Every structure is written in structure tokens, then in C-alpha cells.
Amino acid sequence: MKRFLCFIVAVAALLALAGQSIAQQSSKSVVLHAGRVLDVKTGKLLSDQIIVIADGKVVSVGASADAKPPADAVRIDLPNATILPGLIDAHTHLTSDPKFGYEELAISTPREALTGAKNARVTLEAGFTTVRNVGAGGYTDVALRDAINAGDVPGPRMLVSGPALGITGGHCDNNLLPFEYHAVGDGVADGIAAVQHKVRENIKYGADLIKICATGGVLSKGDDPQASQYTLEEMKAIVADAHRLGRKVAAHAHGAQGILWASEAGVGSIEHGSYIDDAGIAEMKKNGTYLVPTLYLSDWFLENAATIHIPDFYLAKARAVMPAARKNVAHAFASGVKVAFGTDAAVYPHGLNAHEFAVMVKLGLTPLQAIQAATLNAADLLGWAGKVGSLEPGAWADIVAVDGDPLQDVTTLEHVKFVMKGGQVVKNEYGR
């Protein structure tokens, strides 16, 4: 027994030493030497830069010649790469995959959560170190966020909405099953008292923000994307309760009236904006409402419609809405509405998020404006300005690297080769 106790003590001592060693390594500063750093605020491409990182945050960024990094810091050299802040996707559904129509009915809540673990890793490795998840069944996005924060699974920083709020029979209700199943979406609520209760319930179960369906949608049966769903009074009640409880509101809105009402009600962002018109643009500019267009999905969706078993009632709406969205969103861009980057990933495979940049540029944004939409603007929309979306002292050390100059060719962002989140290297193809 005495020998056994001595053995246990010795093992405990070794484990303690090992733990100290790991802690010492993780607490060491990191020095990242970059061939080029894109200053997303000014658009300047700065050469031969040193980024000093400690405790997962940026300490300083400056010219290599002027830097005085800690002598014992871990050094990472990327002399031929261009460094940017980690990218932000303000419209994801990590717990869903491209499964449409009646195929969706076979997906359980536990399966949805496990799907989220897979997609979180894929999204992070694609260079998106922060996402806003706007709609998930059974609070699976809350569970995923908490698992990532606990270090159980790899993934981006997440702000999550839980189930999206919607009217009975609307875009965010379950409208594929007949009456006898009595199926109702998790976030369905009608009337001022009911929507106030639903906002409070979502927050009770962990939502960081509130997502509402202000109009009909494309990937739903029996509703009209151009028709408003919630009344202006209902939306005002949702926003008032959310804001009082410290949450922002994102509004799925295709139709012009729903866009106008949602902005007037005080939402932080309009998602999609397919039929945005001059009245909606003026209201959004007056209120500082962000537009989160989701554009690349139409390319992927229509190109793959024949092979992914799209129901006819979805496809008919897609063929009407998606081309109209391109025209109207381009007009909104030209009119100077504030834009944040979002993809609606789940309508197409996760990991392709960066394909959105090229479409934004095609519709009138400069490459820098498109990058700012996925960094500075998205950070502002999320309420995390100065924490994500920029490389400045005090910001989390979320960093991506690519070959070439994304200001000359924004598609380089589709091929991220290095990803760091909170000072920890997630992916490094340069180190092979």
C-alpha cells in the first residue's frame, strides 16, 4: 500500500509539472512576422510587419524594424503572405446543411447539433473566426456556441439567436406537414403579448440576439417572399423588449414593405433585402440599419438545383426572387446603405462562405468595401467593434493569411492558408 501511495504521489507530481509546462507554453507571447498586413480601416497594405500577441489578444502591430518583441516569444514567420483580421459571417446556420423540402423532416434536434459541430470546424478553417448564427431549431446553436467556448469542439466565435420568431404559417413556421400533425415552429408567436413572451423565452434559453421573419421566404411552402408577416406594431414590441434586455434584432426580409417596417421598428439588420426599394433604403440610411445581402447562394442553388432534389414550390420562388435580388441589392449598394457580410451558409455547403466577396464586388462594391463588410462593419453590427474585425491593441488575435493581394483579386480570400483564433493556430498550410 505504501509503495502504491508513493507511486500515486509521484504521478501527481509529474502531472503537475506537465500542467505547469503547458500553462507556461500557452501563456507565452506570440510574434507573427508578416510579409504584408492589410489595414482594413485605411486600405493600406503594410510591408514587413510584426504582430505581437499575448493572452490571446493583439498587443501591437508595427514595422519589423521598429519592433521589440519579447525574447522568449513563440515566433511564426509568414514572409510571403498577406495578413488580415479573421473574417466575420453575419448570417450563418451552422447546424443545418443543404437539405431541402421533406428531407428536412428527418433531421432530429440531436442530429442538427452534431451537424453544427462539423460545420463549425469547416467554417473556422475557411477563415471565418466569428459568425452570427441567425436561426436554429431546439437551441442547437446555443449548445454549439457553449461547446466551442468550453473548448469541446473547434469553431468560430458565435453569437446565436436560437429559433427564429415568425407568424403562424409563415416562413419560420413548419409548413410542410398537414393539419393532423399539428406541427408548429419553435419560434412561432402571434400578437404583441405572444411575441414579447417569445423574445423573453429565447433569451432565457441563451440567445445572444433575436431573429425575426418580417416577410415570407424562398425555402418554405405556401408563403410569399414579398408579403410582410409581422405587423409594424408586433415588430416594435419585439425590438423594444430585445433592446431593453440587451439584445439586437436581425430581420429576415425580402419584400419592400417588410424591409421598411423592420427598419422603422429598429432592427439592427435586414437579411437578404431582395426587393429593397428607395423608401426602404432611405429608412435604413436614416436609422443606420445594416443590409446583410446573401448573394452567392443564388449561384450555387440554381446551378445545383437538378442534383439536390429541390421541390418545385421552392424552385419556382427561387427563380423569381434570386435574380431580382441581384438588381435591387446593387441599387442599394450604389445608394450607400450600410453593408455587413453574410452568406446564409447552409443553403449551400459551409466552407464556401468567401465566394460571397466576388459577387459583392460584381454588384458594385470595391474589394476593400467587401472586405470591410466582413471585418469592421460586421464587427460593428455584432456589437464587437474593437474586439474582432480589426488588428489593433486589445482585439482578439483572430488572424487569417492568404497569398497575393485581395485588394487586386478578392477571390484570394476563397483560399485561406493560415487561420489563428485567439492567438492559437488553427490552420497553417505555410508550415507544411
Side-chain angles (χ1 to χ4, degrees), residues 37-95:
V37 171
L38 176 60
D39 183 337
V40 294
K41 293 183 178 181
T42 66
K44 292 181 180 179
L45 204 59
L46 308 173
S47 299
D48 195 21
Q49 298 288 296
I50 290 288
I51 302 172
V52 179
I53 298 160
D55 297 322
K57 294 183 178 181
V58 175
V59 175
S60 63
V61 182
S64 177
D66 300 328
K68 296 179 180 179
D72 63 343
V74 176
R75 186 178 178 91
I76 300 172
D77 287 299
L78 302 176
N80 300 313
T82 300
I83 301 297
L84 300 86
L87 302 172
I88 305 167
D89 190 336
H91 190 123
T92 64
H93 300 278
L94 291 187
T95 63

Side-chain angles (χ1 to χ4, degrees), residues 137-381:
Y139 298 94
T140 50
D141 55 352
V142 172
L144 178 61
R145 176 203 63 197
D146 292 349
I148 291 170
N149 290 346
D152 297 338
V153 296
R157 304 180 193 280
M158 294 183 70
L159 289 176
V160 304
S161 72
L165 276 62
I167 65 168
T168 297
H171 177 62
C172 293
D173 195 6
N174 186 329
N175 50 11
L176 291 169
L177 291 170
F179 164 77
E180 55 263 34
Y181 288 93
H182 302 290
V184 179
D186 292 343
V188 171
D190 303 298
I192 290 175
V195 298
Q196 287 176 321
H197 174 78
K198 188 60 69 172
V199 168
R200 297 168 191 179
E201 182 177 78
N202 276 21
I203 291 171
K204 173 183 177 180
Y205 292 117
D208 299 305
L209 68 139
I210 301 298
K211 161 78 176 293
I212 66 171
C213 291
T215 73
V218 175
L219 300 180
S220 47
K221 184 181 179 182
D223 58 316
D224 181 358
Q226 296 200 57
S228 56
Q229 293 192 159
Y230 277 127
T231 65
L232 176 58
E233 290 73 23
E234 286 170 320
M235 286 194 278
K236 284 183 175 179
I238 290 168
V239 171
D241 253 33
H243 284 183
R244 183 173 52 79
L245 296 170
R247 269 67 170 183
K248 294 188 176 187
V249 180
H252 158 104
H254 288 287
Q257 184 181 64
I259 293 169
L260 180 67
W261 282 356
S263 180
E264 184 180 343
V267 304
S269 60
I270 298 295
E271 314 297 307
H272 313 303
S274 301
Y275 292 96
I276 191 169
D277 61 9
D278 286 335
I281 290 169
E283 187 71 19
M284 290 174 67
K285 290 177 71 174
K286 181 182 79 173
N287 299 326
T289 314
Y290 274 97
L291 174 63
V292 182
T294 54
L295 301 162
Y296 171 69
L297 68 84
S298 65
D299 291 342
W300 189 92
F301 187 87
L302 295 175
E303 287 171 7
N304 292 276
T307 59
I308 55 178
H309 311 295
I310 302 297
D312 290 341
F313 47 82
Y314 286 1
L315 192 55
K317 288 198 283 186
R319 286 174 171 159
V321 174
M322 290 175 178
R326 294 290 179 97
K327 176 183 176 182
N328 295 324
V329 167
H331 177 60
F333 285 172
S335 300
V337 72
K338 293 201 301 185
V339 180
F341 184 101
T343 64
D344 213 1
V347 175
Y348 61 86
H350 296 269
L352 302 180
N353 312 56
H355 285 69
E356 186 79 15
F357 288 108
V359 186
M360 297 174 83
V361 170
K362 183 179 180 180
L363 296 186
L365 295 187
T366 66
L368 178 60
Q369 287 173 327
I371 293 168
Q372 288 173 333
T375 51
L376 300 172
N377 294 5
D380 180 55
L381 171 60

